Amino acid sequence: MTESTARRYFGKTKVVGENLQLLGGPIPQQISVAAVCADLPENVHFKFDILVSNKGNQFLTEQNHIGFAANTYFLLQEGADAKALDAKFPAIVEKYAVGEIQRNFGVSWAQYKAAGNGYHYYLTALPDIHLQSHLEGELQPNGDAATVRIFTWIALFILLIAGVNFMNLATARSAERAREVGIRKALGSERRLLTAQFLIEALLVSLASVAIAVVLVFLALPAFNQLAGKQFSLWTYLNWSTVPGLLGFAVLLGLLAGFYPASVLSSFRPIEVLKGKFLAKKSGAWLRNGLVVFQFAASIAMIISTLVVFSQMGFISNKKLGFQKEQIFVLHNAFALQAKTDAFKQELLKIPGVEAVGGTSEMPGGQGWFGTTFKKQEDNESVTGRAAIVDDDYVQTMRLDVLAGRAFSKQFNDSLSVIINERAA
């Protein structure tokens, strides 16, 4: 068990040899603490409080080649070819799973695959699971690499707008600095020195912006974590390996944004500047006008995109899903109460404001649905799907829309009854 779990149950961390009762099975199981490990960080593939050995668990140890009750991890030898191992999985399926499929479903392996079913196993590198794996029954909700790429491009696009805005402001202020440039050139300053000065000013602005951004992120991160339900830490991403890259990116952005204004400002001729004739020059006007047009067009595009995304999020939030999703309180692992479940439900119903209490093995949108296969009696075609176990009050509690038939009820013997959705029908 983890250190925090040990403190929660025993009030200390030196608990090797202590005993616990494991609930949830037919009878409570006595288990002993074999080791205590450090608490897991937030950026892990899955989190646990207690790891229990599969020895003695008949469900996990019995041979089953068509189930998905366990996640399997391979530690490959150094230099092993993962693709070569992937190529061996189809033969393993045909050797071990085909017989069980024929016995359980009454169809041949060819018929089973022709109906659109099958077992396809492949390896996924552990670091790729969070962003690349999108399978049913994941240990926890994963991220999406496409979403990360989209937000990365949006961030770069915003930086591009900021850089163009800096160029426009710098060139617009050229009249204020033109006399300075003219006097310094008249006193002997070279153009390259003036260019270097303006580039250094742009670099200082870029580096100052990075510093201010880091401070703002540090101040806003607690509120963001509370709003998003995350546990992000600035120091996870701001360390000795990332700071050089961040500073290098700031320097590059400063050079790119400051190059054009520096070229314009350092190109003024001292005689024309001192006579006030530089304002009449039209060279480079098309580029300045183009930058202004681009800035406005990009800003408008960002505003329109934001409004579209906001509208879509509103649609998702308000779309009727066929069940009550508001005012629902979920209590996990209540199955551990076993025979006391009904008494617990009655106590909950006595709480003012509680209208109904129902039980289920998994909530809609969760990852704990189990696979099921069914077929009509007069048809040999099998259909696979996902299922959950619910009690008689679940449909009423969730206010599911029953389009035909009836919900489960204590007035009937529903041990052989199921409720299917429209797609299954």
Side-chain angles (χ1 to χ4, degrees):
M1 65 173 55
T2 61
E3 289 182 304
S4 59
T5 305
R7 293 191 186 97
R8 183 166 67 247
Y9 285 110
F10 300 102
K12 56 183 180 179
T13 57
K14 296 181 179 180
V15 295
V16 175
E18 299 282 354
N19 295 322
L20 287 171
Q21 276 193 340
L22 183 64
L23 306 178
I27 58 174
Q29 182 181 357
Q30 192 82 5
I31 59 176
S32 177
V33 179
V36 177
C37 65
D39 290 339
L40 301 177
E42 292 297 326
N43 56 334
V44 294
H45 167 47
F46 69 95
K47 300 189 69 175
F48 62 86
D49 296 320
I50 299 176
L51 290 177
V52 181
S53 173
N54 62 356
K55 293 182 178 179
N57 189 318
Q58 183 179 359
F59 177 75
L60 293 177
T61 55
E62 66 182 5
Q63 289 191 357
N64 183 347
H65 299 105
I66 60 174
F68 303 98
N71 294 274
T72 304
Y73 295 83
F74 293 83
L75 179 60
L76 303 185
Q77 294 180 353
E78 191 72 24
D81 188 355
K83 293 183 178 180
L85 180 57
D86 270 340
K88 298 180 180 180
F89 287 144
I92 295 175
V93 171
E94 293 187 6
K95 180 178 180 180
Y96 294 100
V98 170
E100 292 188 29
I101 292 172
Q102 293 175 342
R103 288 194 302 270
N104 293 349
F105 305 139
V107 296
S108 66
W109 175 239
Q111 293 173 324
Y112 188 78
K113 291 194 296 183
N117 305 307
Y119 291 83
H120 176 57
Y121 296 101
Y122 59 91
L123 296 177
T124 300
L126 194 61
D128 296 338
I129 291 178
H130 181 64
L131 293 179
Q132 305 293 339
S133 181
H134 306 288
L135 304 177
E136 296 181 4
E138 297 280 5
L139 293 177
Q140 66 178 17
N142 290 332
D144 187 3
T147 302
V148 174
R149 287 193 292 267
I150 289 173
F151 280 106
T152 301
W153 282 110
I154 291 175
L156 293 175
F157 194 59
I158 293 174
L159 282 176
L160 178 61
I161 295 176
V164 172
N165 183 58
F166 177 82
M167 294 184 201
N168 291 332
L169 291 176
T171 52
R173 293 179 63 244
S174 59
E176 300 178 11
R177 308 201 63 178
R179 192 171 298 276
E180 171 196 346
V181 173
I183 293 175
R184 293 185 61 180
K185 278 194 171 183
L187 294 176
S189 293
E190 298 180 8
R191 180 178 180 179
R192 60 184 181 84
L193 296 177
L194 293 172
T195 302
Q197 174 192 339
F198 295 132
L199 283 176
I200 291 174
E201 291 177 1
L203 288 177
L204 292 177
V205 170
S206 181
L207 293 173
S209 300
V210 169
I212 295 173
V214 170
V215 173
L216 291 177
V217 170
F218 178 77
L219 296 176
L221 198 56
F224 176 81
N225 285 335
Q226 184 177 5
L227 177 65
K230 302 295 183 180
Q231 296 295 328
F232 292 130
S233 173
L234 179 63
W235 311 119
T236 302
Y237 308 98
L238 195 64
N239 49 56
W240 293 112
S241 61
T242 59
V243 168
L246 182 62
L247 294 178
F249 185 78
V251 170
L252 177 62
L253 182 62
L255 291 175
L256 293 177
F259 178 77
Y260 174 68
S263 300
V264 172
L265 293 174
S266 63
S267 65
F268 292 149
R269 296 180 179 179
I271 297 178
E272 295 179 353
V273 168
L274 295 177
K275 289 183 179 181
K277 296 182 179 180
F278 75 99
L279 295 175
K281 291 183 68 66
K282 301 296 184 181
S283 60
W286 64 271
L287 180 57
R288 292 191 295 272
N289 294 335
L291 290 175
V292 173
V293 172
F294 171 80
Q295 180 182 348
F296 277 99
S299 300
I300 293 172
M302 288 291 294
I303 293 173
I304 294 175
S305 301
T306 302
L307 293 176
V308 171
V309 172
F310 181 79
S311 176
Q312 290 295 314
M313 294 301 296
F315 172 77
I316 294 174
S317 300
N318 299 320
K319 179 177 175 57
K320 188 176 180 181
L321 301 177
F323 63 89
Q324 173 70 25
K325 64 176 182 176
E326 306 294 341
Q327 305 299 322
I328 297 294
F329 181 83
V330 180
L331 179 64
H332 296 283
N333 300 326
F335 62 85
L337 296 172
Q338 299 180 8
K340 300 178 181 179
T341 301
D342 288 336
F344 179 68
K345 291 173 60 177
Q346 295 303 318
E347 291 298 322
L348 291 177
L349 289 171
K350 294 178 182 179
I351 300 176
V354 177
E355 297 183 2
V357 179
T360 177
S361 60
E362 185 55 82
M363 292 293 292
Q367 299 290 327
W369 298 77
F370 60 87
T372 183
T373 304
F374 55 90
K375 63 180 180 179
K376 293 188 294 185
Q377 291 184 348
E378 66 275 10
D379 195 350
N380 289 329
E381 181 180 355
S382 298
V383 179
T384 58
R386 296 184 298 168
I389 300 173
V390 302
D391 65 8
D392 296 328
D393 301 313
Y394 176 76
V395 174
Q396 174 190 355
T397 303
M398 296 297 294
R399 297 181 182 176
L400 295 178
D401 296 333
V402 179
L403 303 180
R406 61 171 179 83
F408 295 139
S409 173
K410 295 179 180 178
Q411 300 176 357
F412 299 89
N413 182 11
D414 287 324
S415 60
L416 297 179
S417 300
V418 296
I419 297 176
I420 61 176
N421 60 16
E422 289 182 288
R423 185 177 181 181

